[in-house]
Amino acid sequence: MMKTPLTLRPMFEYATTYFPDQQIVARQADGLTRRSYRDTGRRVRQLASALAALGVTAGDRVGTFLWNDAAHLEAYFAIPSLGAVLHTINLRLPADHLAYVINHAADRVLIVDRALWPVLAPLRASLSTVRAIILTGTGYVGEPDPPGTLDYDTLLAQGDPAFAWAELEEDQPLGLCYTSATTGYPKGVLYSHRGIYLHSLGLGLANTFGISADDTVLPIVPMFHANAWGLPFAAFWFGAKIVLPGPAPRPAVLLDLLRDEQVTVAIGVPTVWLALAQELERRPAPLALRAAICGGAAAPPALIRRYEKIFHIPFLHGYGMTETSPVATVARLKPSHRDLSEEAQLRVKASQGMPLPGLTVRLEREGRDVPWDGEAVGELCIQGPWIADAYEGDARTAETFRDGWLHTGDVATIDSEGYVRLVDRTKDVIKSGGEWISSVDLENALMAHPAVLEAAVVGIPHPRWGERPLAFVVVKEGMAVTKEELLAALGPQFARWQWPDDVIWVAEVPKTSVGKFLKRALREQYQDYFAPR
Ligand code: ADP
């Protein structure tokens, strides 16, 4: 067989050759732009030639500091077309982490949304490797661009629309993304062309997300976090219409886009789907969604039920992490699940599901394999062609990548059908009197209560039990519930010793940069809650 290199180049060429008239719709602060794949392809080549003129060559890193917009999508293809590395920078990192990741990656050029410039400006002097800064976007009006920066559109206009892609090897790096660490600075994961190619194919499979030219996709998940789950690469390759929600999209904006563009597939974290559900209840709209894809944190069964039963929108739960490109498992029903009761099917849909074809998973505890009986817990380990094998220049590699497996730091069970069910992140498991309590199970049960909008449960040090669960609950607007009612609702599903010792009413659960519950903040703030007075 031919050894055709698995790179982004044939993906880009296929998309622009076979789907030239397909559309990319991008929201900016001042409205929507619509461009064909043909025009986007031309702009990608122009951007690549402009970057080359700035001295970017193979192996160089180019950082993007952008929302999900047209320039970001162009950068997704233009930077790797030179053999350079697309470093997507998380906009919401604290300043010292931002400086760390840009310097650690050794970014030579940064492409920055004008409206976000005030975040980077104070760091400019400390960015030792950056030679050029390109500004784009219409969000920042009133002041001239800062001295020494370049304008994206001017550069593009000077670029060569016929600029040729570099010869690429499949194992060379295409992208770089940093993932947050529990302690210390973020850790960098390098993606190869081959990994992204195979991962993208994975997203196109009918067994997975089935992304095709019939779809209109909306990546709500940011393109600065794990490549928006790889959707931009896959959707472009397969000729889907792509809708990019632009700067800081609010639920109302997202709902308008879902309705006006008749989006068929959207991807987001549970908190986004929760906010959208609230919006949809306020403002029912005719939608064309064939899949509400949810991952990044556990999808509460109550949320899945709400979408499927009330809005009649199929809900698809997946799991992954930056280190897995990121999609690793998807919870689709198998034929053997079809005759199960609705409740039992919901339990399957709320699990993390089966690995994508091409990946292998196992559970490990104290160095040994854990049986697939749906009961025994162990750390989830993954292998496969789009699973990272190291952190970029980081001593923490050895903790996570051992014996040819990625050790995910997630504690799970696997049932006899091969369905993974995450019990917790290793760091979130609550250890009470030598027994484990799943914070995720408690959260799901609390969020199933009709008056509860959000619930997070964390383990707080306890003088007698080591740790005890403490619940943080956000009540829905206009509703009320007492602690006793809530705990009673946990009812038969939990033993009494597993119940949270107390419920703290909060206006909001603190969130990470991508909208996951930030349990560390709660643990730190309440660490003395059970301390003897
Ligand atoms: P960060 O640590 O910055 O959130 P990642 O996005 O890489 O970075 O997070 C990956 C982690 O998110 C996983 O290890 C897992 O703990 C959690 N996660 C992802 N998807 C799911 C899911 N469907 N259910 C439960 N947890 C999930």
Side-chain angles (χ1 to χ4, degrees), residues 438-457:
S438 162
S439 66
V440 174
D441 285 351
L442 284 171
E443 287 161 4
N444 284 342
L446 291 170
M447 284 191 274
H449 192 284
V452 173
L453 182 65
E454 291 177 350
V457 179

mmCIF file of all heavy atoms in Angstrom, residues 438-457:
data_model
loop_
_atom_site.group_PDB
_atom_site.id
_atom_site.type_symbol
_atom_site.label_atom_id
_atom_site.label_comp_id
_atom_site.label_asym_id
_atom_site.label_seq_id
_atom_site.Cartn_x
_atom_site.Cartn_y
_atom_site.Cartn_z
ATOM 1 N N SER A 438 -18.565 8.833 45.650
ATOM 2 C CA SER A 438 -18.446 9.500 44.352
ATOM 3 C C SER A 438 -19.113 10.865 44.398
ATOM 4 O O SER A 438 -20.323 10.976 44.602
ATOM 5 C CB SER A 438 -19.101 8.643 43.268
ATOM 6 O OG SER A 438 -19.357 9.426 42.130
ATOM 7 N N SER A 439 -18.324 11.907 44.201
ATOM 8 C CA SER A 439 -18.908 13.254 44.204
ATOM 9 C C SER A 439 -19.820 13.422 42.987
ATOM 10 O O SER A 439 -20.838 14.090 43.049
ATOM 11 C CB SER A 439 -17.802 14.314 44.202
ATOM 12 O OG SER A 439 -17.072 14.289 42.999
ATOM 13 N N VAL A 440 -19.468 12.767 41.893
ATOM 14 C CA VAL A 440 -20.256 12.899 40.657
ATOM 15 C C VAL A 440 -21.660 12.315 40.841
ATOM 16 O O VAL A 440 -22.654 12.916 40.441
ATOM 17 C CB VAL A 440 -19.531 12.204 39.481
ATOM 18 C CG1 VAL A 440 -20.403 12.202 38.238
ATOM 19 C CG2 VAL A 440 -18.207 12.889 39.186
ATOM 20 N N ASP A 441 -21.741 11.147 41.492
ATOM 21 C CA ASP A 441 -23.054 10.526 41.713
ATOM 22 C C ASP A 441 -23.941 11.431 42.562
ATOM 23 O O ASP A 441 -25.133 11.584 42.293
ATOM 24 C CB ASP A 441 -22.903 9.169 42.416
ATOM 25 C CG ASP A 441 -22.386 8.093 41.461
ATOM 26 O OD1 ASP A 441 -22.324 8.376 40.252
ATOM 27 O OD2 ASP A 441 -22.043 7.000 41.937
ATOM 28 N N LEU A 442 -23.339 12.006 43.616
ATOM 29 C CA LEU A 442 -24.119 12.896 44.486
ATOM 30 C C LEU A 442 -24.585 14.124 43.711
ATOM 31 O O LEU A 442 -25.742 14.547 43.812
ATOM 32 C CB LEU A 442 -23.281 13.320 45.697
ATOM 33 C CG LEU A 442 -23.113 12.271 46.802
ATOM 34 C CD1 LEU A 442 -22.076 12.737 47.831
ATOM 35 C CD2 LEU A 442 -24.442 11.987 47.499
ATOM 36 N N GLU A 443 -23.689 14.686 42.914
ATOM 37 C CA GLU A 443 -24.055 15.879 42.132
ATOM 38 C C GLU A 443 -25.199 15.560 41.169
ATOM 39 O O GLU A 443 -26.155 16.327 41.040
ATOM 40 C CB GLU A 443 -22.838 16.376 41.344
ATOM 41 C CG GLU A 443 -21.811 17.035 42.246
ATOM 42 C CD GLU A 443 -20.427 17.115 41.619
ATOM 43 O OE1 GLU A 443 -20.263 16.733 40.435
ATOM 44 O OE2 GLU A 443 -19.502 17.568 42.315
ATOM 45 N N ASN A 444 -25.092 14.425 40.506
ATOM 46 C CA ASN A 444 -26.150 14.049 39.554
ATOM 47 C C ASN A 444 -27.492 13.909 40.254
ATOM 48 O O ASN A 444 -28.524 14.346 39.749
ATOM 49 C CB ASN A 444 -25.796 12.746 38.851
ATOM 50 C CG ASN A 444 -24.727 12.962 37.791
ATOM 51 O OD1 ASN A 444 -24.497 14.089 37.366
ATOM 52 N ND2 ASN A 444 -24.080 11.894 37.369
ATOM 53 N N ALA A 445 -27.458 13.299 41.434
ATOM 54 C CA ALA A 445 -28.704 13.092 42.158
ATOM 55 C C ALA A 445 -29.277 14.431 42.623
ATOM 56 O O ALA A 445 -30.482 14.670 42.534
ATOM 57 C CB ALA A 445 -28.466 12.171 43.346
ATOM 58 N N LEU A 446 -28.421 15.317 43.104
ATOM 59 C CA LEU A 446 -28.911 16.626 43.557
ATOM 60 C C LEU A 446 -29.466 17.418 42.371
ATOM 61 O O LEU A 446 -30.505 18.063 42.470
ATOM 62 C CB LEU A 446 -27.778 17.409 44.240
ATOM 63 C CG LEU A 446 -27.308 16.853 45.582
ATOM 64 C CD1 LEU A 446 -26.035 17.559 46.052
ATOM 65 C CD2 LEU A 446 -28.395 16.998 46.646
ATOM 66 N N MET A 447 -28.769 17.337 41.232
ATOM 67 C CA MET A 447 -29.218 18.113 40.076
ATOM 68 C C MET A 447 -30.477 17.522 39.441
ATOM 69 O O MET A 447 -31.078 18.141 38.571
ATOM 70 C CB MET A 447 -28.083 18.262 39.058
ATOM 71 C CG MET A 447 -27.063 19.294 39.516
ATOM 72 S SD MET A 447 -25.856 19.774 38.260
ATOM 73 C CE MET A 447 -24.612 18.529 38.446
ATOM 74 N N ALA A 448 -30.854 16.328 39.891
ATOM 75 C CA ALA A 448 -32.105 15.756 39.384
ATOM 76 C C ALA A 448 -33.299 16.382 40.097
ATOM 77 O O ALA A 448 -34.438 16.250 39.649
ATOM 78 C CB ALA A 448 -32.103 14.246 39.588
ATOM 79 N N HIS A 449 -33.067 17.079 41.217
ATOM 80 C CA HIS A 449 -34.174 17.736 41.924
ATOM 81 C C HIS A 449 -34.664 18.928 41.100
ATOM 82 O O HIS A 449 -33.860 19.729 40.629
ATOM 83 C CB HIS A 449 -33.699 18.203 43.308
ATOM 84 C CG HIS A 449 -34.833 18.620 44.189
ATOM 85 N ND1 HIS A 449 -35.482 19.818 44.035
ATOM 86 C CD2 HIS A 449 -35.456 17.979 45.201
ATOM 87 C CE1 HIS A 449 -36.446 19.915 44.921
ATOM 88 N NE2 HIS A 449 -36.455 18.801 45.645
ATOM 89 N N PRO A 450 -35.974 19.047 40.925
ATOM 90 C CA PRO A 450 -36.481 20.087 40.025
ATOM 91 C C PRO A 450 -36.118 21.514 40.432
ATOM 92 O O PRO A 450 -36.104 22.402 39.590
ATOM 93 C CB PRO A 450 -38.007 19.886 40.068
ATOM 94 C CG PRO A 450 -38.279 18.906 41.145
ATOM 95 C CD PRO A 450 -37.030 18.153 41.426
ATOM 96 N N ALA A 451 -35.793 21.733 41.708
ATOM 97 C CA ALA A 451 -35.490 23.106 42.134
ATOM 98 C C ALA A 451 -34.005 23.438 42.022
ATOM 99 O O ALA A 451 -33.595 24.567 42.264
ATOM 100 C CB ALA A 451 -35.954 23.312 43.570
ATOM 101 N N VAL A 452 -33.194 22.432 41.645
ATOM 102 C CA VAL A 452 -31.742 22.647 41.671
ATOM 103 C C VAL A 452 -31.212 22.961 40.280
ATOM 104 O O VAL A 452 -31.466 22.224 39.326
ATOM 105 C CB VAL A 452 -31.024 21.402 42.253
ATOM 106 C CG1 VAL A 452 -29.516 21.547 42.132
ATOM 107 C CG2 VAL A 452 -31.428 21.203 43.704
ATOM 108 N N LEU A 453 -30.470 24.076 40.192
ATOM 109 C CA LEU A 453 -29.847 24.433 38.921
ATOM 110 C C LEU A 453 -28.469 23.782 38.817
ATOM 111 O O LEU A 453 -28.156 23.101 37.856
ATOM 112 C CB LEU A 453 -29.739 25.958 38.821
ATOM 113 C CG LEU A 453 -29.153 26.483 37.514
ATOM 114 C CD1 LEU A 453 -30.066 26.167 36.338
ATOM 115 C CD2 LEU A 453 -28.913 27.986 37.589
ATOM 116 N N GLU A 454 -27.635 24.013 39.826
ATOM 117 C CA GLU A 454 -26.289 23.440 39.826
ATOM 118 C C GLU A 454 -25.981 22.877 41.206
ATOM 119 O O GLU A 454 -26.428 23.432 42.209
ATOM 120 C CB GLU A 454 -25.239 24.509 39.530
ATOM 121 C CG GLU A 454 -25.275 25.040 38.121
ATOM 122 C CD GLU A 454 -24.254 26.160 37.895
ATOM 123 O OE1 GLU A 454 -23.659 26.653 38.872
ATOM 124 O OE2 GLU A 454 -24.075 26.531 36.734
ATOM 125 N N ALA A 455 -25.190 21.798 41.230
ATOM 126 C CA ALA A 455 -24.756 21.260 42.520
ATOM 127 C C ALA A 455 -23.340 20.725 42.378
ATOM 128 O O ALA A 455 -23.031 20.033 41.409
ATOM 129 C CB ALA A 455 -25.698 20.154 42.977
ATOM 130 N N ALA A 456 -22.492 21.077 43.324
ATOM 131 C CA ALA A 456 -21.136 20.530 43.364
ATOM 132 C C ALA A 456 -20.922 19.959 44.757
ATOM 133 O O ALA A 456 -21.353 20.544 45.746
ATOM 134 C CB ALA A 456 -20.120 21.627 43.077
ATOM 135 N N VAL A 457 -20.271 18.795 44.807
ATOM 136 C CA VAL A 457 -20.009 18.169 46.105
ATOM 137 C C VAL A 457 -18.506 17.956 46.237
ATOM 138 O O VAL A 457 -17.877 17.430 45.310
ATOM 139 C CB VAL A 457 -20.759 16.825 46.235
ATOM 140 C CG1 VAL A 457 -20.464 16.178 47.587
ATOM 141 C CG2 VAL A 457 -22.263 17.025 46.062
#
